[in-house]
Amino acid sequence: MSDYYKSKRMSVSKLKVLANDPVEFRMRYVDDPPTLKFEPTESMVFGSALHCAFLEPHKFDDEFSVAPKMDRRTKAGKEQHEEFVANLNGRTAIDEETYQEVIEAAQQLRNHRRINQWMSLATPDGIEREYQFDLYGLDFQSKLDVVIPPLGLILDLKTVPDIRPHKMRFQFHDFGYHIQAAVYRIANFVETGEFYRFIFIAIEKRTPSTKGMPFKIALYELDTDSISRGELEAKSLVDDYLSRSQSGDWRIPYCTDDIVSLSVPSTPFGYRKETASE
């Protein structure tokens, strides 16, 4: 694990954990040693492998190891698996099918006309670029996928379950991508004195029913209001962190003895939601 991930500095990913679950945040980042172990999901592993294969292919073999096909129900298969695990040496294991999908997805990204044009102007020092900076009085760090100064452009690669625009709106909100875009722009501004344009490269992960189809790729950019909202929410989360750090109170606000009042969204239930505005 690199020094970046061992750092105690705050980051966007940590802020998002705090926003969703202060107890989880405490167990992962406040307790020393951590009392909650991090276990990446299959989607996380795929996303990390794709980032590496697309942005830093020369590092792929150092970061990932492709597991050979083996029948772990047999003695020979179990021994083969044990030998494979013993030789990982910190690398992340992926199976052959995942590896093939990652390589195919990376190639499609390279073949994308606009992405190819942008990446032709990227230099090694602009790939996975790390920043350390002050964010609202807090020692912060960020790692940006691609920074291209000649274009005043920041690119961020996202692997998503559904790439359609009306679905992406909710994914951007639910995963705090507006906060990420706002903070990463600030990180780069501290160094350059300019606010760069921030583009998300979204690629849809295949499902069992879409295996064999080309990967869907789309480019998204948040509007000014969304970026401004991201800045405000980042500031609010930093304030929340500083307050909780001082008080030692990491409770979840709604997980109490109180009864929380809810109202359902105004959109009609079921198929009628598509015609409600007509």
Side-chain angles (χ1 to χ4, degrees):
M1 182 181 293
S2 70
D3 291 339
Y4 177 86
Y5 293 105
K6 295 178 182 177
S7 172
K8 295 295 184 181
R9 292 185 181 93
M10 184 58 74
S11 66
V12 171
S13 60
K14 292 178 182 178
L15 278 186
K16 291 194 287 186
V17 173
L18 176 64
N20 287 319
D21 191 334
V23 174
E24 179 183 350
F25 180 91
R26 173 186 62 78
M27 295 178 71
R28 290 195 189 282
Y29 305 118
V30 178
D31 292 350
D32 192 13
T35 53
L36 186 62
K37 183 180 179 182
F38 175 72
E39 293 289 349
T41 64
E42 288 185 10
S43 293
M44 290 179 183
V45 171
F46 182 90
S48 297
L50 178 55
H51 268 77
C52 190
F54 174 56
L55 298 175
E56 299 178 300
H58 57 287
K59 294 183 178 181
F60 194 88
D61 290 341
D62 295 329
E63 300 291 335
F64 297 90
S65 181
V66 182
K69 291 184 178 181
M70 60 189 88
D71 186 353
R72 293 168 60 185
R73 295 171 297 179
T74 66
K75 180 180 178 181
K78 290 177 181 178
E79 291 176 350
Q80 187 181 12
H81 175 71
E82 290 173 0
E83 182 181 0
F84 172 76
V85 171
N87 291 319
L88 280 175
N89 297 322
R91 293 175 294 175
T92 299
I94 58 174
D95 59 40
E96 179 66 29
E97 183 178 3
T98 299
Y99 172 72
Q100 292 299 334
E101 287 208 340
V102 163
I103 297 304
E104 186 178 341
Q107 189 58 53
Q108 282 193 223
L109 287 167
R110 295 189 190 97
N111 291 341
H112 188 283
R113 180 186 62 82
R114 185 163 241 171
I115 296 172
N116 179 268
Q117 290 174 348
W118 288 333
M119 293 302 294
S120 69
L121 296 174
T123 57
D125 65 342
I127 304 294
E128 297 285 4
R129 185 169 178 82
E130 297 180 14
Y131 296 81
Q132 289 82 43
F133 58 104
D134 179 276
L135 183 71
Y136 308 123
L138 193 61
D139 194 17
F140 219 87
Q141 68 178 9
S142 292
K143 180 183 283 190
L144 281 59
D145 285 351
V146 186
V147 182
I148 309 175
L151 300 178
L153 182 66
I154 299 169
L155 302 177
D156 191 83
L157 177 62
K158 295 295 184 195
T159 305
V160 301
D162 194 324
I163 206 167
R164 292 175 293 174
H166 70 286
K167 293 290 186 179
M168 288 297 296
R169 289 178 61 247
F170 292 99
Q171 292 175 68
F172 269 63
H173 174 270
D174 291 347
F175 290 103
Y177 292 162
H178 59 306
I179 297 173
Q180 177 190 354
V183 172
Y184 283 13
R185 291 177 79 242
I186 291 172
N188 188 66
F189 174 82
V190 171
E191 181 171 298
T192 65
E194 299 179 43
F195 279 114
Y196 282 15
R197 191 177 184 186
F198 196 103
I199 304 294
F200 289 93
I201 300 172
I203 183 166
E204 184 177 291
K205 194 174 184 301
R206 288 170 174 162
T207 64
S209 63
T210 59
K211 288 188 183 298
M213 290 184 61
F215 283 93
K216 298 174 185 175
I217 298 171
L219 307 174
Y220 289 106
E221 182 176 20
L222 289 171
D223 59 27
T224 302
D225 288 345
S226 296
I227 295 292
S228 297
R229 179 178 171 185
E231 293 176 2
L232 291 173
E233 291 191 33
K235 176 64 165 61
S236 177
L237 286 169
V238 168
D239 290 344
D240 186 40
Y241 166 75
L242 294 173
S243 175
R244 289 180 182 275
S245 295
Q246 186 173 15
S247 67
D249 182 1
W250 300 97
R251 291 175 296 178
I252 302 172
Y254 52 83
C255 291
T256 66
D257 292 337
D258 297 331
I259 298 172
V260 181
S261 177
L262 292 178
S263 61
V264 300
S266 58
T267 304
F269 175 74
Y271 72 92
R272 293 179 300 147
K273 64 185 178 183
E274 302 294 343
T275 58
S277 62
E278 296 180 0

